[in-house]
Structure formats: structure tokens, C-alpha cells
Amino acid sequence: MQNRLFSILKYALGWPFSILALFFIIKLVAPRIPEFTSKLYAANPVLLMIGIFSFLVYYFLRSYIWHRLLKVYSNKITYKQSAYHYSVSEFKRYIPGSIVSFLGRAFAFSEQGIPKKNVGKLIVTEAGIFVIGCAVISLLSLPFVLSSFSNFVPDFSQKLIIFIVLIGVLLYIFFQQNLKFIPKFERSENANLVALSTCALLWFGVANYFVISSVIILPIELFFQLSGFFVLSVLIGYLSLLTPAGFGVREGIIIAGLSKIVNSSIGAFIALFSRIILIISEIIFLGITYLYFKSKSKKVSQLSNLVANHKHEAVLLGLIIIYIAYFSWISFLRYDHFYTGRFDLGNMAQTVWNTTQGRIFQFTNPDGADMVSRLAFHADFLLILLAPFYALFPNPKTLLFIQTFVVALGSIFVYLIAKDKLTSKNLSLAFAFAYLINPSVQRANLYDFHAVTLATTFLLGTYYFYSRKKYVLFMIFALLAAISKEQIWLIIALFGVMLFFNHKKRLFGSLIFFVSFGIFYYLISVAIPQALGASHFAIDYYSDFGDGPLSIAKNILFSPQKVFEIIYQKEKIDYLAQLFSPLGYLSFIYPFFLILAGADLTINLLSNNAQLHQIYYQYTAAITPFIFISAIFGMNIIKKYIEEKYLFVLPIFILITSLMSAYKLGVLPGSKDANLEMINKQLPDYKFLEQKLSDIPPHLSVAASNNVGSHLAHRLELFTLPLGLEKADVLVFYPNKNEQPQSLIAQKLQLEKIRHDNRYEIITEKGSFVIFRKKNVK
């Protein structure tokens, strides 16, 4: 009799209840369907698709968490089985009273050999992990939520809440084994499950942000705060078990919270809109899991096995794709809206473009009005190798994309180096993630284009292949790094020393050292001064120590007190903290590899040019690789003193320090100093400006304001105002606040003078954008 009753219940909780769930969904959303469809047609399709994709990732991670929980009782259930039955049972939660979903899951997995009592225990465990993940991501919303109560809530409340939540998470991880009513997991597995849940809920918040942004404009600077707020709303809805899937509760929280941004009627609609897209995404996920469950394709099985056997690598690949997509997009926006300039994207683009035209490594002297070799400023011969790509896609955006792509690939080498040394994929992935959100890496990537920025990845590759004793690949990456900037040859020379002593490659190491050091000395002392007609321009940065490379090096070596006084200045200490804090100062535990960064660190710290001891530009590109390598070796030392059952704390430490630094120093939305001008302050007429600039014939010489220089790089002669005024055929004035004050003053004076010069005629004028052309020029 009991078995018959169970059979009836299993049938009732199958497709009939799924259809019933669909009925309740239609009943809830049907009254707003006309409004929903009208908004859907007007929605930004790209943002909407990103939102739906993010929801699918959220559901995938939730189903994967359930699959890992099931392993406590059965290793026979495949992911395709657990994902399908999980998605079907979850879909039934839309029936009033979430208990139907729980019963459906219990009966579905009892057929797979797991007793219903044990499934019930796993459901309780999953609920606890879900709540913890929600609580962690909800912390992101604290500035947004507490701003409404700033008059009533003390200043320390935010830190207190964060402290309480994190302590709660740690207590769960450490003492979950003492809870008798749920299955027992190792502490490392507890940490993994909490991390997966936290990651899943972050995707949920991000999905809501993009979905809502597809129909109304949400502030990009509140990206993470609002993402956290949407998770907070779902947490409150989740805890209200008597409502179907939190209907009403979550929407009410969203309406109340967004009242600071939009009025209540719009808030009500977008709350429902995001709910409907969530449901659509869940139906899509259900369809995917069904097809996956029924699939007999060998290729699908092979791909599944590949991902299952290389989970960490798959996650890293996803992170790299996200990095490339975001920084390509944001870099392109900077270019489109004139936040890039002649310095430095225009200089690089003109050099590469000239190379494609047969004028190899040539560009217009940015400090004059004549054609010179790029060697007059830097030995970044890597630009020549980029010419074939530029010939295929002749646009400065090509350089921006290549830079982002190559920088992102550096995370692969960080992962491989860490995996070889630490033998922990979790730790390796944590280091790779820390690389991708490292403020120095991101700022160097975002600040226009520089060949030396690519050296970060090439130097990581150089060390990796050195450590693996794959000397052909070592030489290739060493050469690529060296030709990105003249001082990188010094670093390659030091690799020669390591080859000599560590690998016992006496001849090979000696050859690398003497050739690399000789090239460095020749470039600094002979080639660059000859091309420029004077000593290297950067020599002036070290005038306190001498007037030539040898005298400067000598005085630095024999004036330790003076060197210490300069380095001990507050801005230099702050600079060092910004470099090393993202990895928790682990590099100082094993500082040997910092010797390879010593040349660039010395150059930056002793320079009287303030830009060199900041992380906002490309000057950290050759330092960052060795900070990471030293930190990995430092972590290896710590790892030896920690019991295996507590090793899960180490990835958490890396994640916390890197995330804190990303918040304080990074450029991403939600950070304290986010670089979002290209989004928040876009030029409404940027297409008009671009069109007028592209209409200038390429054979004409142009003198232009710095911030339009990158858009005019495809020509033989390009001058930066106030230079080249008499020589240029066309003058383009577009001064703005991004230029130097003295340049702005000079341009305004010149502009008024040119207006009264009858040799010129105005071709275009719109606001501060003015194009003049000499009347006798065709």
C-alpha cells in the first residue's frame, strides 16, 4: 500500500506538477504581458543576452553544487542526471508552497538509489550553503542600503556587519561536522561549496543588473552594490517559504531599494521584468538539461568529460573571456569618446601604420615637426611585429584588442607556475584570478597602448619555460619581452645568470647574459642617443645622480644614504604598498625573484617623474610578473607549515587580499577609484567628430589637439598643437580638460589667432571642435 502511494506521488510530482507550476507562472505574469512585450522589444538586446547568459551560469553552478552534495551518498549519479532532475524539481517551486519542490527532488533522486531521508538532509545543507552565499554577496550592497539610514546608523556598522557575516561563514566551514542533522564534509569541501555558492549568487546579482539595465539605465558605478542588493532581495524572498519562489517579497524589496533611483511604478515594472526573464532563463536551462540528459552524442560526452576533468582550467578560461570582453569594450569606448590621445596610442598607431606602408619604425616626432625613428624614444621593436595584424585590421582598436588579449593570457602562465610549485589547483586558480583583477595589470591595460605592457605576459612565459627547461620557448618569450622596451634586456641578462648557476648551463647562460647586457648598453648609450640626436630623454629623470647612464649607475651604487632618503618618501612607500598589497605582501617572504624586477623598481622609485612611481600607467609592466612569481614561492613556504586540513584557508587569503586591493585601487565598476568616464561622460556627437576627422585626406599633414591624435594617426605627418602650426595643412582644435593646462592656454590663444588669419578657412565647427584648412591646399 505504501509503495503504491509513493508511486502515485512520484507520478503526481512529475509532469502534471510541472504543468501546474507553469500555470501559476502564467497566472502571475499574464496581467503584465502587454507591458512586458512592449518593453522587451525596446530592450538593449546585448545587455539582455548577457543577463540571460548570467542567469544560466547561476543555474549551472546551483545544479553543480547539488551534484557535489549528492556525492556524499552516491558516486554513480552523473552530472547530466543530477542536473536534469534538479532543474525539473526546482521548476516546481512556483507552485504555492516551496515544499512541492523539495518533495519532487526527494522522489526524483530516490529513484537513483538515494533514500528520501538523505535527500532531505542534502536539501537542508543546500539551503544553508545558499543562505551563506547570499549573505556574503549581500555585503556588496551595504553602501547602497545603509546610505538610506546614514543619519541613524553609526559609521562602524558596515565593518561590523561584514565582520559578523565572515565570522559566520568561517564558523560554518569549521564546525559543520558537528551538526548532526546534515551530512558531514571535510573542511576543504565546505570551503569549496561555500565558494561555489558565493560565486553562483554573484552571477545572479550580475544577471539582474544587466537584465534591468537593458530597459532602464542603472548607474555603472553602482554595478556591484546593486548586484549585491538584488541578491539581498532574493535572500529575503527565499526565506519566505510560504510564497511561491519568493513572489511578492523579492519584488517589494527591489521596488523599495530602487526608489532612490527610479519612481515606484518603474520600480514595480523592472522588478517584474527581471522576474520574468529569470523564469525564461530557467525554462531555457531546463530545456538544456533535458537535451543534455537525452543526448547520446559522443562529442557531447567527450566535451563533458573534458570539462569535468579540467574544472579549474575551464573556470580560468571563462575568467579570461570575461576579462577580454570587458577590457576590449571599455578600451574601445575610451577610443570612441576621445579619452585616448596622441600620447600614447596615436604615437604607437602611427608607428605601426607607417611600418605597414614601408616606413619601418617611423613616426612624427611628438616633441617636434620632423619624421624620426621610434628608436629616438624607445626600443620597442615589438611594434614592428604587430604590423601584419594592423595591415589586416588598420584601426587603433586593433592594438587595444591585442594588448587586452595578450595581457589576459598572462593569467595562464600564473596558473601554470603556481600549479607546478604549489601542486594545488585551487591555489593556482586563486593566483590566476588575483592576476586578472590586479590593479596594476588592469590600469596598464586600460591606459592607451604600450608595447611594454605586453611584456607582463611575455616575462611570465619566459620564467615558466625557464623553469620547465624548455629553452626554445624560453628564448622566444625572452626575445618578445626584450623587444618591448630597452631596459627589459637587463631582465633577460639576469635570466642568463640564473641559467648559469641554477641550471648549470654555463655557455648558454653566459651567452644570454653578455648579449642581453651588451644590447641594453648599446641601446641606452649609442642607438637611442644617435636616433634622438641627444642623450636618452629619460636621463633627465635622474639628474640628482648624474648626467649619463654610467655616472647615474655609479652614484646610485655608491650613495646608499641618498637612495634610502628618496625611497623613504611617503609617495614611494605608498607606491610599494600598492604594488605588493594585492597579494598580501607574500613576495617579501621569498624576495629572490624581485631581483629581476630590481632594474625597473629602481628606475621608478628614484625617478623625479611622479608618473613612474604610480600604478596608473605602464611602468609596472615589468615588475608585476616577479611580484607574482615571488608571491607563489612565498606561499609555498607558508604551505609547508600548515596542516593539510587547513590548506583551504590559503586560497581564501589570496581572494580576500586581491579583492580588497581591487576595491581600493582598481578600475572596475564598484571600486573606489573606478575609471568609468568613458561610460558616464560619453560624447553625444562622437560619431560626428569621427566622421569629420576621417574626411580629412590622408595625404595632408595635420596639427591637432592631443585628444584627437589617435584618430588621425594614419598619415605621414601628425603634429601635436602647438607644434607644427605653420607646417600643417590642416589644424584640428579640440582642447579639453585631459590636456596639460599650459597646452590648453596655448591652444586657446592659437585658436583665436587662426580665426583672424586669412590663410585659413573653417571646414567644421561644433562647440570646441574646430577644423581649419589652408586655402591653397587641395
Side-chain angles (χ1 to χ4, degrees):
M1 182 69 181
Q2 188 179 20
N3 291 335
R4 185 179 178 185
L5 178 62
F6 283 155
S7 298
I8 294 172
L9 282 174
K10 280 190 286 187
Y11 173 77
L13 290 170
W15 286 109
F17 264 42
S18 298
I19 295 171
L20 185 61
L22 190 61
F23 166 77
F24 277 104
I25 291 171
I26 295 172
K27 182 179 178 181
L28 285 163
V29 303
R32 304 297 292 271
I33 286 295
E35 183 182 4
F36 170 78
T37 52
S38 65
K39 289 288 186 182
L40 186 61
Y41 284 125
N44 183 309
V46 175
L47 296 180
L48 186 60
M49 291 305 297
I50 292 174
I52 292 174
F53 173 79
S54 300
F55 274 134
L56 292 176
V57 175
Y58 160 73
Y59 283 121
F60 164 76
L61 289 173
R62 288 286 308 278
S63 64
Y64 179 67
I65 290 169
W66 178 251
H67 178 64
R68 289 187 72 142
L69 291 173
L70 287 174
K71 287 185 176 181
V72 176
Y73 297 114
S74 175
N75 285 318
K76 296 180 180 180
I77 299 177
T78 64
Y79 173 71
K80 66 162 57 179
Q81 292 173 315
S82 59
Y84 170 66
H85 291 300
Y86 176 86
S87 61
V88 171
S89 62
E90 277 293 283
F91 190 68
K92 293 164 188 165
R93 75 187 186 279
Y94 291 104
I95 301 172
S98 298
I99 190 65
V100 176
S101 170
F102 300 151
L103 288 174
R105 201 182 309 181
F107 282 111
F109 287 99
S110 66
E111 291 182 337
Q112 309 301 321
I114 301 177
K116 288 180 280 296
K117 181 177 72 172
N118 292 341
V119 174
K121 290 181 178 180
L122 292 178
I123 290 173
V124 173
T125 304
E126 184 202 30
I129 294 170
F130 180 82
V131 170
I132 289 173
C134 283
V136 173
I137 298 301
S138 295
L139 295 177
L140 297 173
S141 69
L142 285 179
F144 179 75
V145 173
L146 295 181
S147 62
S148 302
F149 309 99
S150 56
N151 295 328
F152 310 101
V153 179
D155 292 338
F156 67 87
S157 60
Q158 186 170 329
K159 294 181 181 178
L160 179 62
I161 294 172
I162 293 173
F163 177 77
I164 292 172
V165 170
L166 294 182
I167 289 298
V169 172
L170 291 175
L171 288 175
Y172 177 86
I173 292 172
F174 275 95
F175 299 113
Q176 180 264 0
Q177 292 178 323
N178 298 326
L179 301 175
K180 297 181 180 180
F181 57 91
I182 61 176
K184 306 296 185 289
F185 297 98
E186 295 293 332
R187 293 188 178 98
S188 59
E189 181 63 4
N190 286 338
N192 287 332
L193 290 170
V194 168
L196 285 168
S197 180
T198 302
C199 186
L201 270 302
L202 178 60
W203 278 99
F204 179 89
V206 168
N208 277 275
Y209 179 91
F210 280 113
V211 166
I212 293 173
S213 293
S214 70
V215 290
I216 68 165
I217 298 175
L218 291 177
I220 186 66
E221 61 270 17
L222 298 180
F223 176 78
F224 284 109
Q225 292 185 36
L226 289 176
S227 297
F229 173 71
F230 296 134
V231 173
L232 176 64
S233 69
V234 83
L235 171 62
I236 297 172
Y238 183 81
L239 295 175
S240 58
L241 295 175
L242 296 179
T243 60
F247 263 122
V249 178
R250 172 176 171 266
E251 282 71 20
I253 299 295
I254 291 177
I255 293 169
L258 295 185
S259 62
K260 295 185 290 185
I261 301 174
V262 297
N263 61 51
S264 58
S265 61
I266 295 178
F269 169 74
I270 60 177
L272 182 63
F273 183 82
S274 66
R275 168 68 77 170
I276 294 174
I277 298 300
L278 171 67
I279 295 170
I280 291 172
S281 302
E282 187 168 6
I283 292 173
I284 294 172
F285 181 73
L286 177 59
I288 292 172
T289 57
Y290 175 77
L291 294 174
Y292 180 43
F293 180 66
K294 294 295 184 180
S295 173
K296 304 297 183 182
S297 170
K298 290 184 178 180
K299 290 185 178 179
V300 172
S301 298
Q302 289 173 351
L303 181 61
S304 299
N305 293 333
L306 182 66
V307 173
N309 295 329
H310 299 87
K311 293 187 286 292
H312 295 80
E313 292 81 0
V315 171
L316 178 57
L317 178 61
L319 292 173
I320 290 172
I321 292 172
I322 292 170
Y323 180 96
I324 292 173
Y326 177 78
F327 278 94
S328 295
W329 171 65
I330 209 77
S331 297
F332 291 174
L333 279 183
R334 288 189 79 244
Y335 174 80
D336 288 337
H337 294 277
F338 295 87
Y339 286 99
T340 61
R342 168 72 187 279
F343 296 94
D344 286 315
L345 179 59
N347 288 333
M348 309 299 175
Q350 191 191 27
T351 303
V352 179
W353 179 80
N354 268 329
T355 300
T356 65
Q357 305 301 306
R359 297 180 291 272
I360 298 174
F361 215 48
Q362 300 287 310
F363 77 141
T364 309
N365 187 347
D367 296 328
D370 55 332
M371 289 293 293
V372 297
S373 169
R374 172 70 185 163
L375 186 59
F377 292 85
H378 289 296
D380 43 5
F381 299 113
L382 186 61
L383 296 175
I384 298 173
L385 295 186
L386 299 180
F389 300 100
Y390 209 85
L392 291 173
F393 306 100
N395 191 303
K397 289 181 180 179
T398 300
L399 298 181
L400 297 176
F401 176 78
I402 290 173
Q403 178 170 264
T404 297
F405 183 82
V406 173
V407 168
L409 294 184
S411 62
I412 296 177
F413 288 114
V414 170
Y415 177 82
L416 292 174
I417 293 167
K419 187 160 71 74
D420 278 357
K421 192 64 185 175
L422 302 172
T423 63
S424 166
K425 287 191 172 184
N426 285 344
L427 255 179
S428 303
L429 185 59
F431 271 107
F433 174 74
Y435 170 87
L436 290 172
I437 64 166
N438 183 273
S440 298
V441 171
Q442 292 184 351
R443 289 188 178 277
N445 192 166
L446 196 59
Y447 180 64
D448 283 16
F449 173 88
H450 300 88
V452 73
T453 302
L454 279 61
T456 301
T457 294
F458 295 146
L459 287 171
L460 285 166
T462 301
Y463 173 77
Y464 174 70
F465 292 117
Y466 156 83
S467 67
R468 303 284 292 184
K469 298 184 179 181
K470 296 182 177 180
Y471 296 121
V472 174
L473 290 171
F474 160 78
M475 286 294 296
I476 292 172
F477 275 84
L479 183 60
L480 287 172
I483 62 176
S484 69
K485 203 173 182 181
E486 55 275 6
Q487 74 262 28
I488 306 298
W489 287 102
L490 271 180
I491 298 174
I492 306 306
L494 292 176
F495 270 104
V497 175
M498 293 198 307
L499 284 167
F500 185 92
F501 288 104
N502 294 349
H503 289 188
K504 310 301 181 185
K505 296 287 183 179
R506 308 301 188 190
L507 179 60
F508 185 39
S510 299
L511 190 64
I512 293 290
F513 174 79
F514 285 110
V515 170
S516 298
F517 187 83
I519 292 174
F520 166 75
Y521 182 80
Y522 174 76
L523 290 171
I524 292 295
S525 301
V526 180
I528 293 177
Q530 283 184 356
L532 183 62
S535 60
H536 194 299
F537 72 94
I539 294 295
D540 292 339
Y541 298 164
Y542 310 93
S543 56
D544 292 343
F545 292 95
D547 54 4
L550 288 178
S551 62
I552 289 172
K554 177 183 175 182
N555 289 328
I556 288 174
L557 287 173
F558 295 103
S559 306
Q561 183 178 356
K562 187 174 183 179
V563 169
F564 180 78
E565 288 174 356
I566 293 175
I567 294 177
Y568 199 65
Q569 295 170 359
K570 183 181 182 303
E571 62 269 21
K572 309 294 177 64
I573 299 298
D574 290 343
Y575 170 67
L576 290 173
Q578 291 168 359
L579 284 174
F580 291 96
S581 61
L583 292 175
Y585 300 98
L586 286 170
S587 304
F588 294 132
I589 297 175
Y590 194 92
F592 172 78
F593 292 103
L594 296 181
I595 296 172
L596 282 82
D600 271 63
L601 267 174
T602 303
I603 288 170
N604 292 355
L605 288 170
L606 299 183
S607 171
N608 56 31
N609 182 348
Q611 289 186 347
L612 266 68
H613 39 264
Q614 295 177 18
I615 66 168
Y616 302 106
Y617 306 102
Q618 75 279 10
Y619 304 111
T620 61
I623 300 172
T624 299
F626 304 107
I627 291 177
F628 271 86
I629 294 169
S630 291
I632 290 168
F633 275 75
M635 179 63 80
N636 189 52
I637 293 174
I638 293 176
K639 187 169 174 274
K640 294 176 181 177
Y641 293 95
I642 296 180
E643 292 184 47
E644 187 174 351
K645 61 182 179 181
Y646 297 120
L647 288 177
F648 71 89
V649 174
L650 300 181
I652 295 174
F653 172 77
I654 295 296
L655 291 176
I656 290 175
T657 57
S658 60
L659 287 169
M660 287 176 61
S661 294
Y663 171 70
K664 292 179 180 179
L665 305 168
V667 299
L668 295 176
S671 59
K672 292 181 70 174
D673 190 25
N675 191 334
L676 302 173
E677 282 190 326
M678 70 292 293
I679 299 174
N680 294 330
K681 298 179 182 179
Q682 296 186 357
L683 296 173
D685 52 356
Y686 77 94
K687 290 185 178 180
F688 168 83
L689 303 184
E690 178 61 42
Q691 182 60 52
K692 293 301 178 183
L693 293 174
S694 63
D695 287 342
I696 300 173
H699 68 278
L700 298 182
S701 59
V702 177
S705 300
N706 174 61
N707 59 309
V708 296
S710 60
H711 293 255
L712 294 164
H714 295 176
R715 62 192 65 249
L716 182 62
E717 294 181 303
L718 174 63
F719 318 116
T720 303
L721 289 171
L723 301 173
L725 195 62
E726 293 298 325
K727 192 175 180 180
D729 301 319
V730 177
L731 308 178
V732 181
F733 289 88
Y734 191 44
N736 65 17
K737 65 177 184 178
N738 294 326
E739 300 197 46
Q740 296 294 324
Q742 55 268 37
S743 176
L744 286 175
I745 295 171
Q747 286 186 59
K748 288 178 181 179
L749 292 173
Q750 289 169 348
L751 179 58
E752 292 306 312
K753 185 178 179 181
I754 296 298
R755 285 185 185 278
H756 299 92
D757 192 329
N758 58 15
R759 292 178 300 169
Y760 297 91
E761 60 181 340
I762 295 178
I763 302 300
T764 301
E765 182 170 11
K766 188 171 186 179
S768 60
F769 180 74
V770 188
I771 300 179
F772 294 94
R773 181 170 176 167
K774 285 182 177 178
K775 292 180 180 179
N776 61 342
V777 171
K778 294 182 180 180

